[in-house]
Amino acid sequence: MTTTTAQAGKVKQRAGDRWFSGTALAAGTMILVTLAAVAIFLIVQSIPGLTATGETASLLSGNFWEYVWPLAFGTVWASFLALLLAVPLAVSVALFISHYAPRRLAQGLGYVVDLLAAVPSVVFGLWGIMVLAPAVQPVYAWLNENMGWIPLFGGTVSNTGRTIFTAAMVLAVMVVPIITAICREIFLQTPVLHEEAALALGATRWEMIRMAVFPFGRSGIVSASMLGLGRALGETMAVAMVLSISNRITFELFTSDNPGTIPANIALTFPEAYGLNINVLIATGLILFIVTFAVNAIARWIVSRRKEFSGAN
């Protein structure tokens, strides 16, 4: 009887299910193995660079940390500025698509926003150099002349417009599709009963959005912003093409003395690097890997917290 019960408890799995389960397990394992291999490679190759000095590596004027600190600052500063510009725009577009636009217009606008994510970063870089930078340079000059007492607008204005703020605007345009797509799907998942209840109580559409949509999608907006930040942190070609780099730590937005970013510095320096300089550049890549991994881990944690909260409710 015990054997019969055990056999009855076993569910026979079909061949297709076994094949799909094995394939999914192999794919997931492959991702973890690849990530571990990349981490091991970066750590092993970075050890000589972390201890390098100006006497052993021509890229360095002092130690490694003096070299990487302006690059790390520039990477985080440019990404933060991009996020500051992109999040309000992306949330506004997502709200328009999900709650204001007619159905046909919303579908077409959604497709256009999604297509922006498919534009190569080189194209954004060319647009930033040839269109955006010349267009905003007079604005920079005006802000510097009339509001130069503000530290962010101080300094000597760049004549080309290729500044950290221009690079941040290009990055903002590049991450808007990612944030918009995620926010749009989350806003569309807002319980209809919550929206109808707010409207039934006499709320306007905007008041309904503040009372029902934003509270429901708050964690989703944060996670979308973090994913956009991860995208901005790793951008290479657009920043390398737009930004005029001097590797100087400064918060001034309109000068030509701009801090560089780690991806752009690697792209510009690696072709001519040799010997221990290669290890130094790989070590800067390790720093970027850690920062990006931390940002994405925080985003996943926020998403999981949102799912747990939704399940509890």
Side-chain angles (χ1 to χ4, degrees), residues 159-181:
N159 294 325
T160 62
R162 296 174 57 183
T163 68
I164 191 72
F165 195 69
T166 305
M169 285 191 284
V170 174
L171 286 177
V173 174
M174 297 179 69
V175 303
V176 158
I178 300 173
I179 303 175
T180 301

Side-chain angles (χ1 to χ4, degrees), residues 25-252:
L25 178 61
T29 305
M30 182 73 68
I31 293 175
L32 294 177
V33 170
T34 303
L35 184 62
V38 171
I40 292 172
F41 165 78
L42 289 174
I43 293 172
V44 172
Q45 294 294 324
S46 297
I47 292 175
L50 293 173
T51 58
T53 62
E55 298 177 356
T56 57
S58 59
L59 280 177
L60 305 179
S61 56
N63 58 36
F64 169 78
W65 300 106
E66 293 175 354
Y67 175 76
V68 76
W69 168 239
L71 298 174
F73 168 79
T75 303
V76 175
W77 180 230
S79 301
F80 172 77
L81 292 173
L83 212 63
L84 204 63
L85 298 172
V87 171
L89 177 61
V91 172
S92 301
V93 173
L95 276 177
F96 178 75
I97 294 174
S98 61
H99 286 81
Y100 285 94
R103 184 178 299 271
R104 292 184 178 179
L105 177 60
Q107 290 179 347
L109 186 58
Y111 293 147
V112 171
V113 171
D114 292 339
L115 283 175
L116 279 176
V119 177
S121 59
V122 174
V123 176
F124 282 111
L126 291 173
W127 170 74
I129 291 176
M130 304 183 67
V131 178
L132 183 61
V136 297
Q137 197 279 332
V139 179
Y140 293 167
W142 185 88
L143 288 173
N144 178 264
E145 181 179 354
N146 295 276
M147 303 179 68
W149 51 271
I150 299 177
L152 292 176
F153 301 155
T156 304
V157 178
S158 170
N159 294 325
T160 62
R162 296 174 57 183
T163 68
I164 191 72
F165 195 69
T166 305
M169 285 191 284
V170 174
L171 286 177
V173 174
M174 297 179 69
V175 303
V176 158
I178 300 173
I179 303 175
T180 301
I182 298 175
C183 291
R184 179 187 63 202
E185 295 303 320
I186 290 176
F187 292 159
L188 289 173
Q189 292 176 10
T190 305
V192 178
L193 291 178
H194 293 184
E195 297 180 355
E196 292 178 348
L199 294 173
L201 291 173
T204 62
R205 182 176 297 185
W206 171 242
E207 291 173 338
M208 177 271 293
I209 290 174
R210 287 195 295 115
M211 291 188 297
V213 178
F214 279 159
F216 177 81
R218 184 180 296 114
S219 61
I221 295 173
V222 174
S223 60
S225 303
M226 297 298 284
L227 292 174
L229 177 60
R231 173 71 174 86
L233 287 171
E235 177 53 41
T236 302
M237 289 310 302
V239 177
M241 296 171 67
V242 172
L243 192 60
S244 176
I245 299 174
S246 66
N247 281 344
R248 173 172 169 258
I249 298 178
T250 177
F251 288 95
E252 296 171 351

